[in-house]
């Protein structure tokens, strides 16, 4: 997957720069990444569906990186991983790392949250639990759903992916 999605790290909104995201038209082996038109279009029906599909998430992350605004999705993903941690020591350590990277004022990848949420999160993380970041994660999710997600759906990158998947689907059915 890493080599197939390696082209996604480039800063571009053009599908031509993401040509490896979908399989080559001539390639039909089982190894080949298969995204149906329905699957790519389904990403536009629900933000949850986009984030729950591994290639949808990869495409969305790439889009946000191309806009130099990937801190929200990276924070959301860090929170998802955080929820899976077992053990209070590891939980507290990861909570502090997430706080310093994303939540603290002037942090390297600071997410856009209000003062009240920032302070409340800081207090909650003093006694970290797997749900400690749920509120702030929810706010970032809502922000992405209302702002970044509609831009992604209008982007040339996404439109080109839909067109390419559609074209491949027509070729297979002929």
């Amino acid at each position: 997957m890493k080599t197939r999605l390696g082209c996604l790290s480039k800063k571009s909104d053009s599908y031509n720069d993401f040509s490896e995201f979908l399989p080559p038209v001539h390639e039909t082996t089982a190894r080949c990444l298969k995204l149906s038109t329905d699957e790519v279009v389904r990403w536009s029906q629900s933000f949850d569906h986009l984030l729950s599909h591994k290639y949808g998430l990869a495409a969305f992350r790439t889009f946000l990186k191309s806009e130099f605004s990937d801190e929200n999705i990276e924070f959301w993903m860090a929170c998802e991983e955080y929820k899976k941690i077992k053990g209070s020591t590891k939980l507290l350590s990861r909570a502090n790392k997430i706080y310093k990277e994303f939540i603290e004022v002037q942090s390297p990848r600071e997410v856009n949250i209000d003062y009240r949420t920032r302070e409340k999160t800081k207090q909650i993380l003093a006694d970290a639990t797997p749900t400690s970041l749920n509120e702030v994660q929810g706010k970032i999710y809502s922000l992405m759903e209302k702002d970044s997600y509609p831009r992604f759906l209008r982007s040339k990158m996404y439109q080109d992916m839909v067109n390419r998947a559609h074209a491949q689907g027509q070729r297979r059915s002929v």
Side-chain angles (χ1 to χ4, degrees):
M1 182 168 123
K2 187 175 182 179
T3 57
R4 289 211 181 271
L5 298 177
C7 65
L8 296 178
S9 64
K10 296 175 184 170
K11 307 289 187 220
S12 177
D13 189 40
S14 169
Y15 180 78
N16 292 331
D17 292 334
F18 301 93
S19 59
E20 291 182 22
F21 189 76
L22 292 175
V25 174
H26 64 279
E27 190 174 323
T28 57
T29 64
R31 247 174 22 115
C32 163
L33 169 64
K34 291 183 171 116
L35 287 175
S36 69
T37 304
D38 290 343
E39 188 61 43
V40 176
V41 169
R42 212 171 298 137
W43 297 346
S44 70
Q45 296 168 352
S46 154
F47 188 50
D48 278 333
H49 191 77
L50 174 72
L51 296 182
S52 66
H53 190 277
K54 104 176 159 179
Y55 297 114
L57 177 60
F60 187 61
R61 285 178 71 194
T62 299
F63 169 73
L64 292 176
K65 284 179 184 180
S66 76
E67 294 196 327
F68 302 97
S69 64
D70 62 326
E71 66 280 346
N72 288 339
I73 193 66
E74 297 300 328
F75 171 74
W76 182 85
M77 291 172 56
C79 290
E80 289 297 296
E81 289 302 312
Y82 171 81
K83 293 175 189 178
K84 298 174 188 175
I85 296 173
K86 305 289 185 220
S88 59
T89 305
K90 284 184 179 180
L91 206 59
L92 185 58
S93 174
R94 182 68 60 90
N96 286 328
K97 183 179 178 194
I98 290 171
Y99 182 82
K100 288 180 192 298
E101 185 174 353
F102 297 103
I103 300 171
E104 192 171 56
V105 175
Q106 301 296 315
S107 59
R109 305 178 84 191
E110 183 180 357
V111 292
N112 186 12
I113 55 174
D114 60 273
Y115 175 80
R116 186 190 90 37
T117 302
R118 189 179 316 279
E119 290 303 308
K120 184 177 178 184
T121 303
K122 185 177 182 178
Q123 291 171 357
I124 289 171
L125 291 180
D127 188 26
T129 69
T131 60
S132 294
L133 294 168
N134 284 1
E135 182 180 344
V136 68
Q137 183 187 21
K139 288 186 182 229
I140 295 302
Y141 178 93
S142 293
L143 180 66
M144 289 189 299
E145 185 175 36
K146 290 178 178 121
D147 181 45
S148 307
Y149 177 56
R151 282 196 328 272
F152 169 73
L153 296 178
R154 290 188 305 265
S155 72
K156 181 167 177 23
M157 176 188 154
Y158 177 70
Q159 294 304 316
D160 285 349
M161 288 174 63
V162 171
N163 293 337
R164 172 85 182 268
H166 182 69
Q168 287 181 337
Q170 284 183 333
R171 284 189 190 103
R172 276 184 237 149
S173 64
V174 173

